[in-house]
Amino acid sequence: MMDKIVFITGATSGIGLACARKFAANGDKLILTGRNESRLAEIRKELMQKGTEVLTLAFDVRDREQAARFMDDLPAEWKNIDVLVNNAGLALGLEPEYEGNLDDWETMIDTNIKGLLTMTRLIVPGMVERNSGHVINVGSVAGDAAYAGGNVYCATKAAVKALSDGLRIDVAHTAIRVTNLKPGLVETNFSNIRFHGDSERAANVYKGVKPLTGDDIADVAVYAANAPAHVQIAEVLILATHQASGSVISRK
């Protein structure tokens, strides 16, 4: 089915931006969210010049009251969302759990878990009512097993897996599909954020190995969203060729 309405959180960079461009190329209409209003405007202009209909909403998924207001105020022609891509998320810090920063923990939990739940709660009831829709959650290989320093981030992505599985059970009586994408090493601004802007430390994460790109993950998202109606791509683990797990990477 062409011309779906695709709602993407965290669409201003990385996997979210790649998803926006790939779904646009697929002929879909886009609702893009993020905290950076000017960056959203730039992306909207870029995609509209290529013929894509784009609506941008500048808000933080951690603010559920603001999110609810934006969803309530959606124009009628944008309300029937076909695909929700819960992409907004981040990692902060790589300290041992007993030395972690409580503010970092709170930000990760509020974004990666509670933000995902907020958008799911706001959008999926409409899908249930229409008996149609697809939720794509961006999890991580980190949700399969903890790695050194990953503690709380890994816990949030394990939660994404549990929430994806739980939602899939809850909507099994409907035609709604639920997908959990679990990327491994993806070169975006992810590591720069994790290390609070330390670009040199962030670059070392990808040293000696060819990592995935946001486009690689977006390709899988678009494939899942366009699989035949009777096919549910429940979970996909996507790793770089020289990455075997969250903690095992062969570097040259």
Side-chain angles (χ1 to χ4, degrees):
M1 182 180 72
M2 298 296 286
D3 208 26
K4 295 185 291 292
I5 296 177
V6 181
F7 189 109
I8 304 171
T9 67
T12 57
S13 64
I15 293 171
L17 177 55
C19 283
R21 288 171 173 156
K22 292 282 185 178
F23 276 106
N26 190 58
D28 299 314
K29 299 176 182 178
L30 304 177
I31 303 175
L32 306 179
T33 83
R35 292 175 294 172
N36 188 330
E37 192 166 3
S38 61
R39 183 70 182 122
L40 282 171
E42 290 171 10
I43 295 163
R44 181 175 184 270
K45 182 179 178 182
E46 170 201 327
L47 296 177
M48 289 192 71
Q49 284 175 344
K50 297 177 181 177
T52 302
E53 290 187 55
V54 182
L55 177 68
T56 58
L57 308 174
F59 68 89
D60 190 330
V61 295
R62 293 179 295 173
D63 187 338
R64 68 184 186 192
E65 290 181 2
Q66 188 181 42
R69 284 198 301 273
F70 272 105
M71 298 311 297
D72 286 343
D73 292 341
L74 276 181
E77 64 271 22
W78 288 97
K79 282 189 179 291
N80 292 346
I81 294 161
D82 299 292
V83 180
L84 166 61
V85 182
N86 273 318
N87 165 75
L90 75 169
L92 292 170
L94 205 60
E95 298 85 9
E97 195 170 317
Y98 59 88
E99 294 178 350
N101 182 301
L102 272 70
D103 290 335
D104 285 353
W105 291 354
E106 194 164 271
T107 299
M108 286 187 282
I109 291 166
D110 286 353
T111 307
N112 301 0
I113 301 176
K114 291 161 72 175
L116 178 146
L117 280 170
T118 292
M119 300 317 302
T120 299
R121 183 65 182 84
L122 290 171
I123 292 173
V124 173
M127 293 180 174
V128 172
E129 188 178 329
R130 297 187 299 276
N131 193 35
S132 174
H134 195 153
V135 177
I136 300 175
N137 291 330
V138 179
S140 172
V141 63
D144 286 348
Y147 55 76
N151 44 74
V152 174
Y153 174 69
C154 294
T156 66
K157 291 303 182 177
V160 171
K161 173 175 170 52
L163 293 171
S164 301
D165 292 347
L167 180 62
R168 196 177 304 111
I169 293 166
D170 291 338
V171 298
H173 65 291
T174 75
I176 298 166
R177 302 182 292 186
V178 181
T179 300
N180 180 23
L181 299 183
K182 303 189 300 185
L185 197 64
V186 183
E187 187 165 16
T188 63
N189 63 345
F190 175 89
S191 291
N192 199 280
I193 292 170
R194 162 167 259 171
F195 299 126
H196 299 280
D198 187 336
S199 299
E200 185 177 344
R201 192 176 176 195
N204 284 333
V205 172
Y206 311 108
K207 193 167 285 185
V209 64
K210 185 179 173 81
L212 300 166
T213 67
D215 283 346
D216 297 325
I217 311 308
D219 282 337
V220 182
V222 172
Y223 173 81
N226 289 280
H230 71 287
V231 177
Q232 180 170 212
I233 309 297
E235 190 170 285
V236 185
L237 176 63
I238 311 136
L239 302 176
T241 298
H242 293 290
Q243 179 176 16
S245 69
S247 57
V248 178
I249 301 169
S250 177
R251 302 179 188 272
K252 304 298 182 188

